[in-house]
Amino acid sequence: MRTDYVEIETREQLIVLLREQKVLKHYAFQDIDFTEVCPDEADSPRFEDCLFLGGVLPERFSRLMGTDCLVFPALKVPYRVFGNKLYSPSCLYDAYRPGEPESYCDCFDHRVYRHYLSAGKRAVDIKETLARMLHDHAVSNALHDFLSAYDERSVVGIMGGHGLLRTDPMYRQVVSISKRLTEAGYLMISGGGPGAMEATHLGAWLAGRTGQEMDDALRCLAQAPSFRDELWLDTAFTVVRRYPQLRYVSLGIPTWLYGHEPSTPFATHIAKYFENSIREDGILTIAMGGIIYAPGSAGTMQEIFQDAVQNHYLSFGYASPMVFLGKNYWSREMPVYPLLNKLLQSGKYKNLLLSVFDSADEVIAEIVRFTDSSPSSCQNG
């Protein structure tokens, strides 16, 4: 028989729960400190078939739990194993000081990356591997909660090279596409790093702004065209401060495997993983509204064929658009579009919704056409 655990993620939720019930059954308590919340033992509730994920428990709790309760203690690592929410730029860059690019080394993001390297990308210590798996599970759980507010066909991904410079015309085009789709109610997602990924989140961040303001933001970022430039992060935070916003969101899904590429602070919500395979498959699975492919190399090619497999087999019930941006690039320099088209025509692949365009208008129209063909509609959470 299926049991759905009710997730309790905050102190406030717990207080309400304790006030209303004396027997708590089928609850999952995520990273909560019970020591200052629960009443004396005489008034404490009983716990049956509950999960305690991290957090702090009073000693007396062992007498209040049924034998079917599971307790997962906190592990001493420099990251939250049982976190109950997605990361944010303010969390990853908690110690960043404007005007001091070197302060990135003091930030949570870089501290975790240093630990990741010291323990080994392919860690052998069982405690470390367990902690990473539990961390990634918690991130996936928080990601599921976040996405529950959106129609699945309103989630659109943009894939492309991490080396795309901020001064490249293609970068501007990705910014414009993402900006307009965000304004139309779509949730834009990417791998959350630099290049085409950053352009995706910059576009979402600038949703509702004028073209002149977008030009100003791009001029600011042009001072550090590559993520390898010292001022790459500093200029991004300058744009964030200059154009603050609370209305629009976007989702970045980066990984510490590529920790040398800092996560973009333009993504309002960040699901950062240790395991890259979970992260890559997750991006393709989530973007049911379609994926736009900007020019990229090996990583982007891998994502294209992973996406093609999901669409071919209708793994999630239907195929989503595969929209290629840049006719010359995808037809000649990296001729994956004619290859897939030929395989589709010959029957080797089925169900692929392929298109290739040069203009932002055509790309956006293709995504909107697919959404409009669905019985459900977009909603911005």
Side-chain angles (χ1 to χ4, degrees):
M1 180 178 178
R2 177 178 173 180
T3 298
D4 291 323
Y5 290 89
V6 178
E7 298 174 22
I8 304 300
E9 302 174 343
T10 67
R11 181 177 182 272
E12 290 71 27
Q13 287 178 317
L14 179 59
I15 290 172
V16 172
L17 190 63
L18 293 173
R19 187 184 303 136
E20 295 176 346
Q21 300 185 38
K22 289 300 182 182
V23 178
L24 304 183
K25 191 172 185 178
H26 303 324
Y27 285 94
F29 302 97
Q30 296 180 259
D31 208 16
I32 293 180
D33 186 345
F34 281 79
T35 56
E36 297 180 357
V37 177
C38 281
D40 295 335
E41 184 170 354
D43 296 320
S44 293
R46 284 283 302 171
F47 298 93
E48 298 179 6
D49 192 15
C50 290
L51 305 178
F52 298 85
L53 307 177
V56 182
L57 303 178
E59 290 185 10
R60 68 176 187 275
F61 261 46
S62 60
R63 297 189 293 273
L64 303 174
M65 296 179 187
T67 57
D68 50 3
C69 288
L70 293 177
V71 178
F72 294 80
L75 297 174
K76 292 185 178 180
V77 288
Y79 49 89
R80 293 182 66 186
V81 174
F82 298 107
N84 51 34
K85 60 184 178 180
L86 297 176
Y87 290 113
S88 66
S90 62
C91 172
L92 293 181
Y93 299 115
D94 56 343
Y96 191 80
R97 299 181 294 277
E100 300 179 43
E102 66 279 4
S103 64
Y104 169 65
C105 295
D106 300 326
C107 294
F108 172 82
D109 188 52
H110 194 67
R111 297 196 305 271
V112 174
Y113 183 53
R114 287 200 305 267
H115 172 81
Y116 177 68
L117 294 179
S118 66
K121 289 186 175 182
R122 294 181 177 178
V124 295
D125 180 84
I126 192 169
K127 175 184 172 183
E128 178 64 26
T129 56
L130 175 62
R132 291 181 187 180
M133 292 175 65
L134 291 172
H135 167 276
D136 286 358
H137 175 270
V139 169
S140 293
N141 185 62
L143 181 58
H144 178 269
D145 290 345
F146 172 75
L147 290 171
S148 65
Y150 293 88
D151 183 300
E152 63 182 25
R153 293 201 192 201
S154 74
V155 183
V156 174
I158 297 183
M159 304 294 193
H162 66 271
L164 181 66
L165 299 179
R166 289 165 163 178
T167 51
D168 193 302
M170 181 60 70
Y171 184 97
R172 172 186 285 270
Q173 195 166 21
V174 173
V175 171
S176 177
I177 290 170
S178 182
K179 179 178 183 294
R180 292 169 60 184
L181 285 173
T182 301
E183 291 167 345
Y186 291 87
L187 172 67
M188 303 304 298
I189 70 171
S190 87
M197 295 174 283
E198 180 192 53
T200 301
H201 300 289
L202 174 61
W205 185 269
L206 294 174
R209 298 284 182 178
T210 66
Q212 184 176 0
E213 288 171 319
M214 186 179 84
D215 291 343
D216 178 65
L218 290 171
R219 280 193 296 270
C220 178
L221 297 176
Q223 299 174 66
S226 168
F227 74 91
R228 297 180 176 87
D229 294 326
E230 185 182 44
L231 294 178
W232 183 84
L233 196 56
D234 208 64
T235 51
F237 277 115
T238 297
V239 171
V240 167
R241 292 192 301 272
R242 187 175 298 174
Y243 298 110
Q245 64 90 12
L246 296 173
R247 178 178 176 184
Y248 298 100
V249 302
S250 67
L251 173 65
I253 310 180
T255 172
W256 274 291
L257 178 66
Y258 302 135
H260 61 287
E261 301 175 7
S263 305
T264 173
F266 295 120
T268 58
H269 295 74
I270 300 173
K272 192 155 190 175
Y273 287 90
F274 287 108
E275 188 59 53
N276 185 51
S277 59
I278 298 175
R279 166 250 190 181
E280 283 194 340
D281 188 64
I283 296 173
L284 299 171
T285 300
I286 291 165
M288 298 302 292
I291 295 180
I292 300 163
Y293 290 99
S297 55
T300 307
M301 289 288 287
Q302 177 181 330
E303 291 155 353
I304 289 170
F305 284 98
Q306 281 183 262
D307 192 22
V309 169
Q310 288 187 178
N311 287 319
H312 170 81
Y313 287 111
L314 301 179
S315 300
F316 301 97
Y318 57 89
S320 301
M322 299 176 68
V323 185
F324 293 88
L325 176 60
K327 288 183 178 179
N328 183 66
Y329 185 85
W330 291 117
S331 298
R332 295 180 177 84
E333 293 184 46
M334 193 75 78
V336 66
Y337 177 76
L339 171 62
L340 286 175
N341 208 29
K342 182 178 180 180
L343 292 172
L344 179 65
Q345 297 303 319
S346 67
K348 301 296 184 183
Y349 270 108
K350 300 182 186 300
N351 305 313
L352 304 189
L353 304 178
L354 304 173
S355 58
V356 59
F357 303 110
D358 280 325
S359 78
D361 288 344
E362 291 173 310
V363 169
I364 292 167
E366 184 71 11
I367 295 295
V368 172
R369 182 160 45 248
F370 174 73
T371 306
D372 288 347
S373 70
S374 167
S376 55
S377 59
C378 292
Q379 60 182 0
N380 202 334

